[in-house]
Amino acid sequence: MKTRPRASLATATVLSAGLVLSACGNSTSPASPGATDASSAESASASGFQGGLTVFAAASLKKTFTQLGTQFEAAHPGVRVNLNFGGSSDLVAQLNQGAPGDVFASADEKNMAKAVAAGIVTGAPVPFASNTLTIVTAPGNPKKITDLLSLAEQSSSGTNVVVCAAPVPCGAATLKVEKASGADIKPVSQEQSVTDVLGKVTSGQADAGLVYVTDAKGAGDKVQAVDFPESKDAVNLYPIAALEGAKDAATAKAFVDYIAGPEGKKVLSDAGFASP
């Protein structure tokens, strides 16, 4: 009768030891998944930015931003840059109406100020380039346009001239150079983007037009550029900013920094843009 309690005590001791060992095993077991999670987080962080980035950019930036978007993707594997080009005033209207975007690059300060006032921009816009106007004609300048006054005179006597509409940055710049020179251009049409003006000249639908020097340079031998001194009176400053509704604020800021940084400056300079 007395041996049974001793056996029970021995059994209890073994069971207790087993429980202690089991408890120790359970305490080390969860540490492994925890370590794996930390490792995964560290690995994800090291992989850089991920996901899509939607950039609303002025039409005059199409060539440069297409190149810079590709470069940014290469520098940040996993990022896809989606570009939406148009007249800056149209882009602001789209964003105000709720169009989803991450970054906005305007061809002037006026339309960026509208975006800031509407509360769709986060942080201070960063100036990254500047641009001026030039006259473009068909190759060889068949109408012999020499300056802005010449362009205005011919627009009243049968030469088809196209310009940007006033709300668009290139249209506002056109009004400034007209005022500075005293010219009164009579356009056959007013376009919603500078690329539309260039397109009408290169396609032969217009004899001449006012575009940015970068657009003329990008068109190569499809047009002939005619510079005029009053262009200095309408220098357009280009600002860029991340948007309040950006899906990934860090990616949006990284793109803004990339455009304003040395990589962006080189591509923009090669295209004919001046420093801000």
Side-chain angles (χ1 to χ4, degrees), residues 76 106 127 139 143 207 243:
H76 302 287
S106 175
K143 298 293 183 177
D207 301 309
L243 294 173

Coordinates of all heavy atoms in Angstrom, one line a residue, residues 76 106 127 139 143 207 243:
H76 N 14.4 51.0 -60.1 CA 13.5 50.5 -59.0 C 12.7 49.3 -59.5 O 11.5 49.4 -59.9 CB 12.6 51.6 -58.5 CG 13.3 52.8 -58.0 ND1 14.0 52.8 -56.8 CD2 13.5 54.0 -58.6 CE1 14.6 54.0 -56.6 NE2 14.3 54.7 -57.7
S106 N 3.7 70.1 -64.0 CA 3.0 71.1 -64.8 C 4.0 71.9 -65.7 O 5.2 72.0 -65.3 CB 2.3 72.1 -63.9 OG 1.7 73.2 -64.6
P127 N 10.6 73.1 -58.6 CA 10.9 73.5 -60.0 C 12.0 72.6 -60.5 O 13.0 72.4 -59.8 CB 11.3 74.9 -59.8 CG 10.9 75.4 -58.5 CD 10.9 74.1 -57.6
P139 N 9.6 72.5 -93.2 CA 11.0 72.5 -93.5 C 11.3 73.5 -94.7 O 10.6 73.6 -95.7 CB 11.3 71.1 -94.0 CG 10.3 70.3 -93.2 CD 9.1 71.1 -93.2
K143 N 7.2 80.1 -96.2 CA 6.5 81.3 -96.1 C 7.4 82.5 -95.7 O 7.0 83.6 -95.6 CB 5.3 81.2 -95.0 CG 4.3 80.2 -95.3 CD 3.5 80.7 -96.6 CE 2.3 79.7 -96.8 NZ 1.5 80.1 -98.0
D207 N 0.6 76.2 -91.6 CA 1.9 76.7 -92.1 C 2.9 77.0 -91.0 O 4.1 76.8 -91.3 CB 1.6 77.9 -93.0 CG 0.7 77.7 -94.1 OD1 0.9 76.7 -94.9 OD2 -0.3 78.4 -94.3
L243 N 1.2 63.8 -55.3 CA -0.2 64.1 -55.0 C -0.7 63.5 -53.7 O -0.2 62.5 -53.2 CB -1.0 63.6 -56.2 CG -0.8 64.2 -57.5 CD1 -1.5 63.5 -58.6 CD2 -1.2 65.7 -57.5

